[in-house]
Amino acid sequence: MSSTNSPSNPTQGLKRPRNDTGNKVTVVLGAQWGDEGKGKVVDLLATQSDLVCRCQGGNNAGHTVVVEGTEYDFHLLPSGIINPKSICVIGNGVVIHLPGLFEEAEKNEKKGLKGWEKRLIVSDRAHLVFDFHQVVDGIQETQRQATEGKIIGTTKKGIGPTYTSKASRIGLRVCDLLGDFKEFSTKFKNLVAQYQSMYSSLTVDTDTQLKKLKEYGERLRPMVRDGVYYMYEALHGPPKKILVEGANAALLDIDFGTYPFVTSSNCTVGGACTGLGIPPLNIGEVYGVSKAYTTRVGIGAFPTEQLNATGELLQTRGHEVGVTTGRKRRCGWLDLVILRYAHMINGFTAIALTKLDILDVLDEIKVGVAYKINGKRIPNFPANMELLHKVEVEYETFPGWKSDTSAARKWNDLPQKAQNYIRFVENHIGVPIKWVGVGKSRECMIQMF
């Protein structure tokens, strides 16, 4: 309780006002398998935001943002860092590879990013990704290939092994690195030894690693804060626009995604609370981002996938290649079963539908509306992967609009058939579409309301 509310007589308890919940946070989340164009929506909102936060994941995420013709690539830095007026926060739920963080900042500095160190806040409770976590990530994939004949298709950025260390209570955090370095060194050596006992081929030059980590720690020190107190002050201080940038997406969520072909964190709305230390009460708008079709990187079930000329067309027209891995993305029709499922978990208040222009050349466009097993509709999105591989998709077919939408800047500029497609999606999910994307740059986002 702040001192102004404290009664002068401590025995006389005054009733505290109940309506002061503080500032609300806007959350942007992927509604499919990632790569939906979240960066673009975040970038649009970041231009008016005071604070832009990351709450989970690591540099396995990849956002590309185009500003005045320059393409910036972000993996760990919140993409709001481009806005010189924004402060960016890397929350406790994020796993941080320090060499990756500084390398990414330097690459973007060469493209014109300025003053980022003064505008970045890092939670002291965030876990650290070490180089050996990345090596272990690769070893695990090799082992999966050997034993099961299939891999998960991780980005080999050490994310899974770091969250494993965290859950096993053997991980090391930013606060450890900035504390007593002798103590940190002992813990680091123990952690390495533990991994070496599991993976005999793992070699780590601990002394060199520790020397580097000490340097990185000193560079990081001015940016480190207690994230809980920092966010509390931001929520309860003067009015602020606070934005949370989700990485990955609903179907990659460790709990709700297509397990085991998922990431190792919660990339649904709950991750914003646990990954920053903020209460659900302070969550305001929740924006889901979806392409006008569906893509997936790596392996795992994908009911609406088109392994044909349509899939190839979407891949080439949409330049569907992963920002982090450079892998070609698999492509298919928009799947509304997935979007409704993502909405059930996240409670979207609005949706951004991106890359509509990629569909411009198609004669007809299909949308998956239900899954069937043995000819019978199933009422839910299956948790079991064998089952998900077996579903057949029930489609609704729309005539293509066969005209260029990339120059559209408002709703009325879109062809009637494109408008019909958008309205159908909106009505089927039961969430209003607030933006429609028809191109790469900021200007190509049509705002509907």
Side-chain angles (χ1 to χ4, degrees):
M1 199 191 278
S2 68
S3 53
T4 49
N5 291 359
S6 304
S8 51
N9 174 1
T11 56
Q12 172 203 353
L14 289 181
K15 197 168 177 200
R16 193 193 156 123
R18 291 269 177 234
N19 53 0
D20 176 31
T21 58
N23 293 317
K24 295 281 192 204
V25 166
T26 297
V27 188
V28 176
L29 300 167
Q32 296 166 304
W33 274 289
D35 313 305
E36 303 92 350
K38 294 180 290 296
K40 200 172 289 130
V41 180
V42 166
D43 180 50
L44 210 68
L45 297 168
T47 53
Q48 302 119 41
S49 298
D50 302 299
L51 212 57
V52 183
C53 316
R54 273 282 303 272
C55 61
Q56 44 67 234
N59 57 351
N60 56 333
H63 293 172
T64 307
V65 181
V66 182
V67 185
E68 288 164 7
T70 307
E71 275 200 21
Y72 295 89
D73 279 340
F74 297 109
H75 300 280
L76 200 49
L77 286 168
S79 44
I81 201 84
I82 303 182
N83 176 6
K85 294 187 193 70
S86 294
I87 299 285
C88 289
V89 177
I90 293 181
N92 57 274
V94 178
V95 291
I96 306 174
H97 182 240
L98 292 174
L101 176 69
F102 289 113
E103 186 185 322
E104 177 182 326
E106 280 151 23
K107 270 188 188 164
N108 286 304
E109 270 180 330
K110 290 194 176 99
K111 295 178 177 183
L113 177 67
K114 289 184 180 71
W116 64 275
E117 311 97 316
K118 304 265 186 299
R119 295 186 286 107
L120 184 64
I121 302 287
V122 178
S123 167
D124 56 356
R125 288 180 174 83
H127 278 253
L128 296 169
V129 181
F130 299 116
D131 290 354
F132 70 79
H133 280 127
Q134 300 192 334
V135 178
V136 165
D137 208 348
I139 296 173
Q140 287 178 343
E141 284 283 67
T142 309
Q143 287 180 347
R144 285 182 197 112
Q145 184 64 54
T147 54
E148 300 162 44
K150 60 173 184 243
I151 56 172
I152 285 176
T154 82
T155 55
K156 299 196 177 66
K157 299 282 182 192
I159 309 300
T162 305
Y163 279 116
T164 304
S165 297
K166 176 178 176 174
S168 312
R169 277 86 41 110
I170 55 177
L172 289 167
R173 305 190 291 178
V174 169
C175 58
D176 297 312
L177 176 61
L178 301 189
D180 178 348
F181 195 74
K182 217 168 121 190
E183 189 67 30
F184 175 82
S185 304
T186 308
K187 287 178 180 167
F188 180 80
K189 285 173 180 165
N190 290 344
L191 184 59
V192 170
Q194 222 161 337
Y195 272 97
Q196 284 176 326
S197 69
M198 291 187 279
Y199 303 97
S200 53
S201 64
L202 181 66
T203 55
V204 181
D205 181 348
T206 46
D207 293 337
T208 307
Q209 287 289 307
L210 284 165
K211 188 166 166 275
K212 279 188 188 162
L213 285 161
K214 194 173 172 115
E215 288 166 17
Y216 285 130
E218 291 316 311
R219 281 181 75 182
L220 192 69
R221 195 180 291 276
M223 306 172 205
V224 177
R225 300 280 188 287
D226 183 309
V228 173
Y229 285 77
Y230 187 86
M231 290 308 295
Y232 186 83
E233 292 299 317
L235 292 171
H236 297 283
K240 264 194 175 65
K241 287 207 158 113
I242 304 174
L243 182 62
V244 178
E245 170 177 356
N248 320 110
L251 291 185
L252 294 173
D253 184 279
I254 184 81
D255 284 286
F256 305 110
T258 44
Y259 192 90
F261 304 105
V262 292
T263 192
S264 318
S265 60
N266 286 114
C267 13
T268 42
V269 72
C273 294
T274 54
L276 285 162
I278 58 175
L281 193 65
N282 291 95
I283 302 281
E285 300 290 345
V286 181
Y287 297 137
V289 188
S290 165
K291 278 179 186 154
Y293 50 102
T294 310
T295 64
R296 173 160 207 180
V297 171
I299 44 187
F302 182 175
T304 62
E305 181 170 18
Q306 296 300 298
L307 295 165
N308 52 28
T310 303
E312 277 177 41
L313 180 91
L314 293 171
Q315 200 277 322
T316 48
R317 266 186 71 81
H319 303 292
E320 294 297 349
V321 177
V323 179
T324 301
T325 57
R327 290 180 289 194
K328 268 190 181 184
R329 296 182 189 136
R330 299 154 60 193
C331 300
W333 297 119
L334 185 62
D335 185 337
L336 297 183
V337 178
I338 280 173
L339 290 188
R340 288 176 70 174
Y341 172 68
H343 173 49
M344 287 175 185
I345 300 160
N346 290 313
F348 297 134
T349 54
I351 291 219
L353 193 69
T354 62
K355 298 185 96 163
L356 182 80
D357 55 307
I358 305 305
L359 307 180
D360 287 351
V361 298
L362 294 164
D363 293 318
E364 60 171 33
I365 296 161
K366 292 184 177 184
V367 181
V369 292
Y371 292 165
K372 290 177 178 168
I373 286 180
N374 303 327
K376 276 178 68 176
R377 272 191 178 203
I378 57 168
N380 59 341
F381 181 78
N384 180 292
M385 279 309 98
E386 283 72 45
L387 207 58
L388 189 60
H389 273 292
K390 287 191 187 120
V391 301
E392 55 176 302
V393 182
E394 187 180 311
Y395 288 102
E396 194 77 37
T397 305
F398 294 83
W401 43 90
K402 304 284 285 179
S403 61
D404 183 356
T405 58
S406 65
R409 293 296 173 265
K410 49 186 195 293
W411 173 250
N412 290 337
D413 295 342
L414 291 170
Q416 186 62 51
K417 286 173 180 167
Q419 292 183 358
N420 296 348
Y421 178 77
I422 293 161
R423 288 295 180 229
F424 178 82
V425 171
E426 194 170 55
N427 293 331
H428 197 89
I429 315 167
V431 182
I433 290 176
K434 187 175 171 75
W435 295 278
V436 176
V438 292
K440 254 193 152 178
S441 66
R442 272 180 190 173
E443 302 72 55
C444 302
M445 282 297 242
I446 300 169
Q447 190 164 333
M448 316 267 275
F449 60 88

